[in-house]
Amino acid sequence: EQKSGRETHCFSSLTLGLKGRGQTELSINSSESNYRMRDFQQFLKTAYNLKKTTAIKPAAARQKPRLLIISRMHSRTFTNVGQIAKLCRDELGYEVTVAEPYEDTSRYARVVNSCDVMVGVHGAGLTNMVFLPEKAVVIQVVPVGLDRDSAALFGEPAGGLGVSYLEYKIGKEESSLIDKFPADDDVFEKPWVVEKRGVKVFRSIYFDGQNVTLDLARFRPTLLKALELLRQ
């Protein structure tokens, strides 16, 4: 519309954010703002009315520590999620929830906030760690070929959110790619060579064409380490 010779643009929505220069993911440019990610995190928790402030200590609490497994439906899925949940629940003493991020963010935020440990395959779903209570633990499962930036994307930001971070890099035998490529293929041995074929090729193989079958015996120490961190 026109008002006093000045043009006003009307939009149905607006996304407003702080700019960052060379910042890590999930961070705020502190050189231009007095705010930290913990401030933004608290803003989100207040907005979604999240009540749990601190993760429980298993040895000191009557209830079991709650563990959330982030499920994915289309790619980078856990193909043995039932077995993972059984290990966590029956052998390690976790109370287990398996849930894919909902369209209803407020509902999923409450689920995440109620948990003490969050496990997820590398992907945007891990950004939900902003809703975790302080001193919780996030475990990133890193598929084949995606380890280069995994720690930078989620490991480094975790400290700024007041949560502990663990990383589990799968072996080639835990990737569905082993059914598509020889064990000595560049897909496993030289992902940087595959990357030179182009972003579309790289993404189609590692992001869109790969699922994960966790080796429970190999993954177990990571889950035990999470319990240890909760006790500290």
Side-chain angles (χ1 to χ4, degrees):
E1 64 179 295
Q2 296 284 340
K3 286 188 177 180
S4 303
R6 299 176 62 183
E7 185 175 353
T8 302
H9 295 278
C10 297
F11 301 94
S12 59
S13 64
L14 173 67
T15 300
L16 180 65
L18 300 177
K19 62 182 179 180
R21 298 171 184 168
Q23 298 292 112
T24 60
E25 301 294 326
L26 292 176
S27 67
I28 291 176
N29 187 348
S30 58
S31 66
E32 297 185 10
S33 171
N34 292 324
Y35 292 102
R36 303 172 302 159
M37 271 304 295
R38 293 292 289 275
D39 298 313
F40 180 64
Q41 183 184 30
Q42 186 55 51
F43 165 74
L44 290 176
K45 290 181 176 180
T46 300
Y48 289 120
N49 195 29
L50 306 182
K51 301 297 186 181
K52 189 170 181 176
T53 58
T54 307
I56 68 168
K57 290 188 175 183
R62 292 183 180 179
Q63 70 269 40
K64 298 178 180 180
R66 296 195 66 188
L67 180 142
L68 169 66
I69 300 174
I70 301 177
S71 64
R72 298 175 59 92
M73 299 301 293
H74 304 295
S75 66
R76 284 161 283 145
T77 63
F78 287 123
T79 61
N80 60 337
V81 67
Q83 293 176 319
I84 300 169
K86 187 176 187 299
L87 167 67
C88 295
R89 181 181 60 249
D90 297 348
E91 298 186 32
L92 302 181
Y94 286 102
E95 179 183 337
V96 181
T97 298
V98 180
E100 184 181 16
Y102 315 130
E103 290 185 5
D104 183 350
T105 304
S106 62
R107 180 185 169 202
Y108 200 69
R110 290 192 293 273
V111 172
V112 175
N113 181 249
S114 71
C115 295
D116 308 289
V117 179
M118 185 175 80
V119 179
V121 179
H122 177 81
L126 287 171
T127 60
N128 285 288
M129 66 182 177
V130 298
F131 302 122
L132 285 171
E134 188 175 356
K135 299 182 180 179
V137 182
V138 58
I139 302 174
Q140 177 179 199
V141 175
V142 184
V144 167
L146 301 180
D147 58 330
R148 185 180 64 183
D149 299 321
S150 57
L153 289 172
F154 300 108
E156 293 177 19
L161 297 172
V163 300
S164 297
Y165 172 80
L166 295 174
E167 187 171 281
Y168 177 83
K169 296 180 181 179
I170 72 170
K172 63 180 70 175
E173 69 284 350
E174 296 172 272
S175 171
S176 62
L177 296 178
I178 198 67
D179 298 324
K180 305 175 184 178
F181 302 93
D184 60 351
D185 193 271
D186 285 348
V187 165
F188 298 107
E189 303 299 328
K190 301 176 182 178
W192 60 91
V193 173
V194 178
E195 189 173 19
K196 291 179 181 179
R197 301 178 194 169
V199 174
K200 289 185 177 180
V201 172
F202 187 88
R203 183 170 187 86
S204 67
I205 294 174
Y206 296 110
F207 284 92
D208 301 332
Q210 179 174 200
N211 293 322
V212 174
T213 304
L214 286 183
D215 181 328
L216 301 184
R218 187 168 176 262
F219 186 53
R220 182 188 177 104
T222 304
L223 295 167
L224 290 173
K225 179 63 177 178
L227 285 173
E228 181 183 332
L229 289 172
L230 289 178
R231 293 189 184 103
Q232 293 176 2

